[in-house]
Amino acid sequence: MHREKYDFQPAEPRATLSERFASYYGNIRSLLLGSNLTGRRQTFQEDSFVEEASLTAFRKDKDEGQLKPKVVDLSRNVNRHAHHTSAYEIPNLVLRRGQAFEMVITFERAFNRDDDSIVLKFVTGSRPLQSKGSVVSVRQVSEAHAGDWNYELVSVVDRAVTLKVISTPKAIVGRYEMFIDTFHKGGEGEVEKHRYKHPDDIYIIFNPWNEADDVYLDNPTEREEHVLRETGRIWLGTVGKFCVRPWNFGQFDDVCLFASLALLEKSELGDQARNNPVQVVRALCRVINNTERDSGVLCGNWSGKYDDGIPPHAWNGSSAILEEFLKKRKGVKYGQCWTFAAVATTLLRALGIPTRCVTCFRSSHDSDFSNPVNAHWSTDNRPRKSMDDAIWDYHVWGESWFRRPDLPPGYDGWQAFDPTPQECNEGVFTCGPASVKAIRKGELYYGFHAKFLFSEAHGERVHWLVDSDGNMTPFRVEKRVVGRQISTKAAGTISRLDITDLYKAADGSPEEAEILKQASRLCFRSVPQLLVNGCEDVEFTFQGDAQKAGDVHICLKMKNDSGHGRTIDVYLGCVSAYNTGVPATDLKETSTTVLIEPHTENDVQMSLKCADYINNKDTDSHVNVYVIATVRETHQRFATRDTIWIEKPHLEVKTEGRTSVTQPFQIVLKIVNTLSVPLTNGVFNVEGPGIQRLMGVKCKKTIGPGEECRETVTLKARRGGRHEIVANFYCRQICDVAGAAELDISDDGKN
């Protein structure tokens, strides 16, 4: 809104926009950080740079000659459009650092170029000081130029003065107050001073359009995707069977920029450090997760039990999570890795840092970096599940794009970070940012936490035989199990982009061998010496999949290449498990002995009907398969584990195509049950950027096999543009059923 719409000298003081935010959300700093800071650090009143700050000694006892602003027009619409910030819902002026903006000051009297001068002061932080760079004095130059704060006097028309102001591309990111200091030279050489404080805050954020900013991204399509696009896709599932979740990042929703800055306060990141994307990413990554040590935004929960909160799979977007956190000032229940990464993406995009979510299928959880992932089996061919290390079916982390002046040349670009609370790093639950280029090269001595991120994407699985005395013998190594099909959303499309080659060298290449050798030396990783059985003349092949109706079928094929018969003891077992690889409930198992004649083949099969397991597992668990086979004559052993995700029904979202912010609109949600069992207690959730949010819309009936369920919901938009509506469905049996549709929303009320 334009400045002339405000009455700047009302009879009674009015609350500023920032005061209204503070009234709604409370004092974020004291509530999140704690107000009892005495003795731990110097304490003082916030915003100590007041109207009569002693550092400039402004007097108010004389009015003669003073140059007083009457109206200050920040040209909000024009400037926000030029700075690519028009979509932010907060009504304040949002600027990208290092880029010029214009403002018009109308004074109470005519401006005299010879006798009058203006100095702008921009003030930010809880302890604003010029020595800290959080009080910036902006003076006139003949022509505004990049590199430092300055302004150009563009025009003077009687009382109206137009200024072109430019900030430094290294400016502190955050909320600023603006003061206008005016000076008038009197006839006797006396200088009359006046200070004007603008009633509304200005927000300055990172600028990926400016080459001098560390977050500069030169590809327009990538910039559009990773800075401006409000919805995206996150890949879940397992290798070869992906499950895509549309997500409403909603970084321009009013709560998101406010939450980003509030969380920087909570992190206690110093004001000066807030101009550095490395430190900003690291600080926000730390405060997103809520653990016993850190009271962050989201509480992690992988147990399948979410009765005292909202299930992770029920969320559609970040703004709902951030809004609940700021209102309640405690961790929101519940999230998992992909919601942690999505919230981080929202917060960083809101601050102008290009960011995306990345999914690594079969991600290792190896906190000490020293060993491969281990699986354990008893001598009677049974899995020892409680002893196993975890390989997550998928793990989602984040990447942000910026330069790394703290590292040697060549490590700019995508920087990986992981806000999921897995293990403590240097005393806190945080991970990154680490250069993706350093991770790929195995140069794990570069910060931050390149070792941990390397281990998430690289590794083998070693199978151990455990005897009755607890002695363990390794008998098989599965190479290249970890870090498959690393994926993100392709810029400009809804397709999956495989970026595995950004993290890893080609399988089996000499480069891969050299990288793994170097990484092993740096993190002391070692693979144990295997027990040599001598003859291994039986070839084993495992296959497993789920049919569309939900039935699971697994098969172990065995081919005897020897000239002698072979007797093979085989175990097949199915358990329900979470995406972290942690088993939950035994579902079915079988043990058998197979005799295979020389140069022949045989197999062992097992089927698991959907009706036999779907209601015996938690909604967000799936089927893990354990397979082990032992050849009696040669003691050759084969073992493997696999994950089977059932194919989910499709959620269709239909919109009216066009609507306006002045009228409600309807969308139709349609799902057809493709499983062979009824779907009970179904729930729909719907939202979109700048669109009313509906959570917990219950399905009116049980959906039988082959049946269709339709729900019509009414929504209302807060702002115009082309937006994507995101919806999901979950029930007692399944979750992560999602869909999306685009809608054109006009601001003028015309369809």
Side-chain angles (χ1 to χ4, degrees):
M1 57 191 71
H2 293 288
R3 296 296 106 184
E4 59 265 23
K5 294 185 179 180
Y6 289 108
D7 178 9
F8 284 97
Q9 296 187 7
E12 296 181 3
R14 65 179 178 85
T16 66
L17 294 168
S18 300
E19 288 170 342
R20 288 181 227 164
F21 276 130
S23 176
Y24 182 65
Y25 291 114
N27 189 322
I28 294 298
R29 183 176 178 82
S30 63
L31 284 167
L32 297 185
L33 178 59
S35 57
N36 187 18
L37 303 178
T38 304
R40 180 162 70 91
R41 57 186 290 183
Q42 292 191 51
T43 57
F44 38 81
Q45 181 181 356
E46 294 226 11
D47 299 325
S48 58
F49 187 92
V50 294
E51 186 175 353
E52 297 198 326
S54 60
L55 64 92
T56 48
F58 282 83
R59 298 184 303 171
K60 288 191 141 185
D61 56 344
K62 296 181 68 176
D63 287 339
E64 297 86 357
Q66 286 185 333
L67 183 65
K68 296 181 179 181
K70 183 177 181 181
V71 176
V72 178
D73 181 1
L74 295 180
S75 303
R76 173 184 173 275
N77 291 342
V78 173
N79 286 322
R80 283 176 48 135
H81 177 76
H83 285 245
H84 309 279
T85 60
S86 297
Y88 282 91
E89 287 186 353
I90 64 171
N92 303 61
L93 179 61
V94 182
L95 302 170
R96 298 192 186 272
R97 64 184 191 175
Q99 183 172 340
F101 66 98
E102 290 196 356
M103 56 186 290
V104 180
I105 307 173
T106 302
F107 293 101
E108 293 183 351
R109 63 166 174 80
F111 182 84
N112 187 312
R113 288 178 181 265
D114 296 327
D115 298 330
D116 296 328
S117 60
I118 303 169
V119 175
L120 304 177
K121 282 191 168 64
F122 291 87
V123 180
T124 189
S126 59
R127 189 185 182 188
L129 295 169
Q130 285 185 284
S131 60
K132 299 290 187 182
S134 49
V135 175
V136 182
S137 183
V138 184
R139 299 183 180 275
Q140 181 181 348
V141 295
S142 57
E143 183 177 352
H145 57 271
D148 201 358
W149 288 86
N150 55 84
Y151 79 84
E152 174 187 347
L153 195 62
V154 176
S155 67
V156 176
V157 181
D158 193 23
R159 301 182 180 186
V161 177
T162 301
L163 306 181
K164 181 181 180 181
V165 187
I166 190 167
S167 63
T168 172
K170 304 295 184 182
I172 294 171
V173 166
R175 175 179 63 88
Y176 281 78
E177 293 177 305
M178 186 180 72
F179 296 83
I180 301 174
D181 295 348
T182 60
F183 304 85
H184 172 70
K185 295 179 183 177
E188 299 179 358
E190 184 179 359
V191 178
E192 297 293 340
K193 306 174 184 179
H194 180 77
R195 168 164 290 171
Y196 169 91
K197 178 183 177 182
H198 195 270
D200 294 328
D201 296 326
I202 295 172
Y203 291 84
I204 296 180
I205 61 176
F206 292 99
N207 192 352
W209 283 263
N210 189 318
E211 292 185 24
D213 197 314
D214 283 339
V215 304
Y216 173 66
L217 182 57
D218 61 350
N219 186 311
T221 304
E222 296 276 347
R223 238 183 358 237
E224 174 75 24
E225 180 69 43
H226 306 308
V227 180
L228 298 180
R229 187 165 180 84
E230 295 184 77
T231 56
R233 300 293 185 273
I234 302 174
W235 272 264
L236 315 180
T238 188
V239 173
K241 181 162 282 189
F242 306 125
C243 171
V244 62
R245 282 295 306 263
W247 188 264
N248 174 30
F249 294 111
Q251 65 266 29
F252 301 130
D253 286 1
D254 57 5
V255 69
C256 295
L257 179 56
F258 190 76
S260 299
L261 299 177
L263 287 166
L264 284 179
E265 284 292 310
K266 185 183 186 306
S267 75
E268 294 193 78
L269 183 67
D271 294 337
Q272 288 176 291
R274 299 183 192 188
N275 70 343
N276 184 343
V278 177
Q279 298 300 333
V280 168
V281 169
R282 187 161 171 75
L284 287 178
C285 184
R286 185 172 66 250
V287 296
I288 287 171
N289 57 72
N290 186 297
T291 66
E292 293 179 358
R293 302 181 181 206
D294 305 301
S295 54
V297 175
L298 262 174
C299 299
N301 188 341
W302 288 263
S303 70
K305 312 300 180 186
Y306 315 113
D307 293 341
D308 60 337
I310 295 176
H313 50 260
W315 300 109
N316 271 325
S318 304
S319 55
I321 295 170
L322 294 170
E323 189 173 283
E324 183 172 343
F325 172 71
L326 289 182
K327 287 180 178 178
K328 295 184 177 180
R329 284 104 186 187
K330 61 181 181 180
V332 177
K333 299 179 178 180
Y334 286 106
Q336 292 178 358
C337 63
W338 50 285
T339 42
F340 286 105
V343 169
T345 298
T346 295
L347 295 171
L348 294 169
R349 285 187 184 180
L351 292 175
I353 301 177
T355 306
R356 64 187 184 183
C357 292
V358 171
T359 302
C360 176
F361 292 98
R362 291 187 189 156
S363 178
S364 171
H365 189 162
D366 179 22
S367 62
D368 62 3
F369 328 115
S370 61
N371 294 305
V373 178
N374 299 303
H376 302 83
W377 306 85
S378 64
T379 53
D380 60 348
N381 279 9
R382 290 291 188 279
R384 300 289 296 271
K385 297 187 286 286
S386 62
M387 304 172 70
D388 290 351
D389 294 330
I391 293 182
W392 294 24
D393 300 333
Y394 63 87
H395 181 49
V396 184
W397 60 71
E399 288 180 352
S400 288
W401 179 280
F402 47 83
R403 301 189 191 105
R404 289 300 298 269
D406 57 320
L407 300 181
Y411 297 93
D412 299 339
W414 289 114
Q415 312 293 321
F417 62 90
D418 191 349
T420 301
Q422 294 186 91
E423 295 292 336
C424 240
N425 283 298
E426 298 176 4
V428 294
F429 284 94
T430 187
C431 183
S435 169
V436 173
K437 293 177 182 177
I439 295 170
R440 190 189 188 281
K441 294 178 181 179
E443 295 175 341
L444 309 185
Y445 36 77
Y446 290 131
F448 296 93
H449 311 124
K451 286 183 179 180
F452 192 95
L453 288 154
F454 183 90
S455 72
E456 288 187 313
H458 296 78
E460 308 88 0
R461 177 160 52 198
V462 178
H463 295 270
W464 296 77
L465 192 67
V466 185
D467 65 20
S468 57
D469 295 325
N471 299 311
M472 300 183 186
T473 305
F475 66 88
R476 184 173 188 238
V477 175
E478 289 184 275
K479 291 185 176 295
R480 304 184 185 94
V481 172
V482 173
R484 314 312 297 170
Q485 296 173 316
I486 301 176
S487 306
T488 190
K489 180 182 179 296
T493 76
I494 60 172
S495 303
R496 184 184 71 91
L497 176 65
D498 194 303
I499 58 171
T500 307
D501 61 337
L502 297 184
Y503 282 85
K504 308 176 70 170
D507 290 348
S509 66
E511 183 186 10
E512 180 198 40
E514 185 60 31
I515 289 170
L516 291 176
K517 181 180 178 181
Q518 173 174 270
S520 297
R521 184 176 68 253
L522 294 172
C523 62
F524 308 105
R525 180 187 291 266
S526 61
V527 178
Q529 188 71 32
L530 296 185
L531 174 67
V532 179
N533 292 315
C535 182
E536 293 194 355
D537 49 22
V538 178
E539 180 183 339
F540 294 92
T541 305
F542 172 76
Q543 295 175 338
D545 200 5
Q547 308 301 315
K548 193 170 184 179
D551 297 342
V552 174
H553 182 74
I554 58 178
C555 175
L556 178 64
K557 294 183 178 181
M558 297 163 285
K559 181 181 178 182
N560 182 6
D561 292 326
S562 75
H564 304 278
R566 294 290 183 246
T567 305
I568 305 175
D569 296 318
V570 178
Y571 169 87
L572 304 178
C574 292
V575 303
S576 69
Y578 305 108
N579 73 282
T580 57
V582 175
T585 306
D586 292 331
L587 299 175
K588 188 176 182 180
E589 63 180 10
T590 183
S591 296
T592 187
T593 300
V594 180
L595 177 63
I596 308 180
E597 297 297 331
H599 304 294
T600 61
E601 299 180 14
N602 205 337
D603 61 50
V604 177
Q605 302 185 32
M606 186 174 75
S607 294
L608 185 63
K609 294 293 184 182
C610 184
D612 293 337
Y613 76 89
I614 198 74
N615 289 306
N616 297 326
K617 69 176 189 66
D618 292 318
T619 301
D620 55 350
S621 64
H622 49 269
V623 177
N624 264 12
V625 179
Y626 293 77
V627 180
I628 186 170
T630 303
V631 182
R632 291 184 182 179
E633 291 81 3
T634 63
H635 302 292
Q636 176 186 352
R637 286 185 172 85
F638 170 85
T640 190
R641 285 178 52 181
D642 201 8
T643 302
I644 297 178
W645 279 55
I646 64 174
E647 188 173 335
K648 308 293 178 65
H650 174 66
L651 177 60
E652 186 177 350
V653 182
K654 292 185 176 181
T655 71
E656 299 173 356
R658 292 185 62 84
T659 188
S660 73
V661 295
T662 60
Q663 62 185 37
F665 62 93
Q666 291 185 329
I667 66 167
V668 178
L669 306 171
K670 173 186 170 184
I671 184 172
V672 176
N673 181 11
T674 57
L675 301 181
S676 59
V677 297
L679 302 181
T680 59
N681 302 322
V683 177
F684 295 96
N685 300 295
V686 188
E687 67 176 83
I691 295 173
Q692 175 189 359
R693 184 184 310 117
L694 289 180
M695 296 191 71
V697 178
K698 295 183 179 180
C699 189
K700 297 182 178 64
K701 64 172 186 176
T702 296
I703 312 172
E707 290 185 355
E708 172 187 297
C709 176
R710 288 175 180 259
E711 291 290 338
T712 301
V713 297
T714 301
L715 301 172
K716 196 170 183 179
R718 299 189 302 273
R719 51 188 166 91
R722 186 168 182 80
H723 298 305
E724 193 171 42
I725 295 175
V726 176
N728 72 49
F729 170 86
Y730 67 93
C731 61
R732 168 64 187 85
Q733 291 73 28
I734 56 174
C735 62
D736 295 323
V737 179
E742 289 191 329
L743 182 69
D744 286 316
I745 303 170
S746 61
D747 282 312
D748 57 6
K750 297 179 182 179
N751 292 331

